[in-house]
């Protein structure tokens, strides 16, 4: 495929070699627009294991920060460490792509954004699942008036806990790992992509068991404390609609997944924002549900199975590539500073409202990210591989 002037690969290193790192490492390793030039981790043991697999050097964070040839750092460390590491990356004049949360404080996030702008450093953050074909098609339906005027939405995500599938779940039950910070950004980003910025938030919260048990991996059977609320119910108010968002780690018998947008003329069943694909369904009174085809849009074909054995589309890293292309082309990327700050403030507002029992107005603004399509995104589509065989 001819996608214009070839890009010089962006020299990229990864910080964090845990469970999420494989998809990013695969993306970097397989994309001609990126060159993997090092992996660091807290203990360095996992960094050495991953470095050997990908044919690169395991290096300390300090070494990566001081290496002037490294252009872009990907922060995959646990969420509670993001503030410190992101600050150091920006201070080292490296471009930054970070897993969510970008920061656990909107005040800190604003300072990081200001410093990045001062230094001419580009920053971007997960989630990038809204790049996926399922979410882009849903946006087309709303933008074309396919459900009439949006009125309200429902998103409910709940299960029995991260320990059901993650070998190191304890960090998700400490400050920084709360459900609104961990899973919430996927849903908030989805709704901002569909409806624009959030105007206000009202929320409540609850806490389940005081201790949890590791169920998988080498430490299975050990217990750890729960230091956070584990269920949050929030109402997000947008310019044209309200959305009820529930995130819970306390659902022993999870209810069927709900992710719907209701309009004046029809309803739209939305894809799971944890992943990139899935056909939306239109619901009209008296008619059978009608699937909305993905129309050949990119980042929607299933490419792996999840922990439940279901085929899913997982193209994590496309946001990283979007940033790398913007760096090389001198263009804008989708998870902009304004977008990142807005998601951070909404997450923080959910938790603050739950503590105080009062609604919180959202002060930050952002515009909806640009839609993904040809021909504008020829580079992105051509240079983004499937991270999975």
């Amino acid at each position: 495929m001819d996608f214009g002037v070839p890009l010089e690969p962006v020299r990229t290193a990864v910080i964090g070699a845990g469970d999420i790192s494989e998809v990013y490492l695969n993306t970097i390793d397989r994309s001609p627009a990126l060159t993997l030039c090092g992996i660091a981790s807290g203990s360095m043991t996992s960094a050495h294991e991953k470095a050997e697999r990908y044919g690169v050097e395991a290096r300390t964070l300090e070494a990566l920060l001081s290496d002037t040839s490294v252009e872009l750092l990907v922060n995959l460390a646990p969420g509670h460490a993001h503030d410190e590491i992101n600050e150091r990356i920006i201070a080292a004049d490296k471009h930054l792509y970070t897993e969510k949360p970008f920061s656990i404080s909107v005040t800190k996030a604003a300072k990081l954004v200001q410093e990045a702008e001062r230094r001419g450093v580009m920053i971007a953050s997960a989630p990038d699942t809204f790049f996926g074909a399922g979410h882009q098609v849903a946006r087309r339906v709303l933008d074309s008036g396919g459900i009439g005027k949006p009125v309200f939405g429902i998103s409910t995500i709940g299960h029995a806990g991260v320990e059901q599938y993650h070998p190191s779940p304890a960090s998700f039950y400490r400050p920084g790992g709360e459900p609104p910070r961990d899973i919430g950004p996927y849903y908030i980003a989805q709704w901002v992509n569909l409806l624009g910025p959030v105007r206000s938030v009202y929320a409540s919260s609850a806490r389940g068991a005081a201790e949890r048990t590791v169920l998988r991996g080498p430490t299975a059977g050990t217990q750890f404390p729960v230091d956070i609320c584990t269920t949050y119910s929030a109402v997000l108010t947008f310019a044209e609609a309200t959305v009820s968002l529930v995130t819970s780690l306390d659902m022993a018998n999870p209810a069927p997944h709900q992710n719907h947008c209701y309009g004046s003329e029809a309803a739209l069943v939305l894809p799971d924002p944890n992943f990139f694909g899935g056909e939306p369904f239109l619901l009209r009174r008296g008619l059978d549900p009608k699937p909305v085809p993905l129309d050949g849009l990119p980042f929607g074909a299933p490419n792996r199975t999840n922990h439940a054995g279901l085929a899913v589309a997982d193209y994590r890293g496309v946001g990283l590539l979007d940033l790398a292309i913007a760096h090389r082309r001198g263009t804008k990327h989708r998870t902009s500073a304004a977008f990142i700050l807005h998601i951070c403030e909404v997450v923080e507002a959910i938790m603050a409202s739950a503590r105080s029992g009062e609604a919180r107005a959202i002060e930050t603004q952002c515009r909806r990210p640009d839609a993904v399509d040809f021909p504008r995104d020829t580079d992105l589509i051509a240079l983004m591989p499937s991270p999975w065989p």
Side-chain angles (χ1 to χ4, degrees):
M1 179 181 295
D2 181 9
F3 44 85
V5 178
L7 288 171
E8 178 186 353
V10 177
R11 290 182 56 80
T12 304
V14 172
I15 301 165
D19 197 50
I20 192 64
S21 66
E22 186 173 1
V23 64
Y24 283 98
L25 291 167
N26 286 346
T27 295
I28 297 167
D29 187 54
R30 295 177 183 188
S31 174
L34 301 165
T35 295
L36 183 63
C37 54
I39 305 172
S41 66
S43 69
M44 292 303 294
T45 300
S46 56
H48 282 286
E49 294 173 352
K50 292 290 175 68
E52 182 177 0
R53 185 188 308 176
Y54 288 91
V56 296
E57 185 181 355
R59 307 174 67 186
T60 64
L61 173 58
E62 290 72 18
L64 293 175
L65 292 172
S66 63
D67 186 344
T68 56
S69 72
V70 176
E71 301 174 82
L72 194 162
L73 284 173
V74 182
N75 183 6
L76 307 180
H80 62 82
H82 281 190
D83 281 341
E84 177 187 356
I85 294 174
N86 289 342
E87 183 175 22
R88 294 181 67 185
I89 291 170
I90 292 169
D93 295 322
K94 309 292 187 189
H95 302 299
L96 165 66
Y97 187 88
T98 180
E99 253 299 328
K100 46 78 194 166
F102 174 71
S103 172
I104 60 173
S105 160
V106 69
T107 300
K108 182 66 174 180
K111 291 179 179 178
L112 292 175
V113 166
Q114 184 178 28
E115 182 65 7
E117 290 175 349
R118 188 181 75 82
R119 290 180 171 273
V121 169
M122 300 181 72
I123 57 174
S125 176
D128 56 0
T129 50
F130 67 87
F131 284 63
H135 309 293
Q136 294 294 316
V137 165
R139 174 167 163 170
R140 285 185 179 182
V141 171
L142 264 68
D143 289 353
S144 66
I147 65 169
K149 179 185 180 295
V151 179
F152 74 98
I154 297 175
S155 286
T156 300
I157 176 65
H159 50 71
V162 181
E163 65 273 19
Q164 303 296 316
Y165 57 87
H166 200 291
S168 303
S171 65
F172 295 91
Y173 294 91
R174 299 199 302 260
E178 297 91 342
R181 286 188 173 130
D182 177 47
I183 196 67
Y186 294 101
Y187 290 82
I188 297 166
Q190 170 201 250
W191 286 109
V192 171
N193 176 58
L194 294 175
L195 300 175
V198 180
R199 291 189 169 185
S200 66
V201 168
Y202 178 78
S204 61
S205 63
R207 184 178 302 203
E211 288 188 332
R212 301 263 179 155
T213 302
V214 179
L215 300 179
R216 296 175 178 269
T219 62
T222 61
Q223 291 188 316
F224 58 90
V226 175
D227 299 324
I228 60 169
C229 290
T230 44
T231 293
Y232 284 81
S233 300
V235 175
L236 312 182
T237 300
F238 295 81
E240 289 192 315
T242 59
V243 172
S244 172
L245 171 63
V246 177
T247 55
S248 177
L249 303 178
D250 299 310
M251 297 177 69
N253 296 296
H257 174 76
Q258 293 188 69
N259 199 31
H260 297 175
C261 185
Y262 294 88
S264 58
E265 298 179 13
L268 188 64
V269 181
L270 301 168
D272 181 354
N274 284 296
F275 296 102
F276 291 72
E279 285 184 330
F281 280 80
L282 270 173
L283 304 177
R284 294 186 183 277
R285 184 178 300 173
L287 300 177
D288 291 334
K290 180 182 179 181
V292 183
L294 301 188
D295 291 336
L297 282 174
F299 321 129
N303 56 1
R304 74 171 180 89
T305 56
N306 66 6
H307 66 276
L310 302 176
V312 295
D314 186 357
Y315 295 84
R316 281 171 172 81
V318 67
L320 166 63
L321 186 59
D322 192 44
L323 173 64
I325 291 171
H327 166 51
R328 282 287 186 258
R329 297 289 194 221
T331 56
K332 295 181 179 180
H333 59 288
R334 287 172 175 82
T335 57
S336 66
F339 182 83
I340 292 169
L341 274 177
H342 189 68
I343 300 298
C344 284
E345 186 183 8
V346 174
V347 168
E348 187 173 287
I350 290 172
M351 297 174 62
S353 175
R355 288 193 299 269
S356 70
E358 298 177 350
R360 299 284 292 237
I362 302 300
E363 297 180 0
T364 57
Q365 291 291 316
C366 70
R367 63 183 184 85
R368 293 196 302 168
D370 289 339
V372 177
D373 56 23
F374 286 108
R376 178 180 54 220
D377 290 304
T378 302
D379 277 352
L380 183 67
I381 295 165
L383 295 171
M384 179 63 197
S386 169
W388 311 103

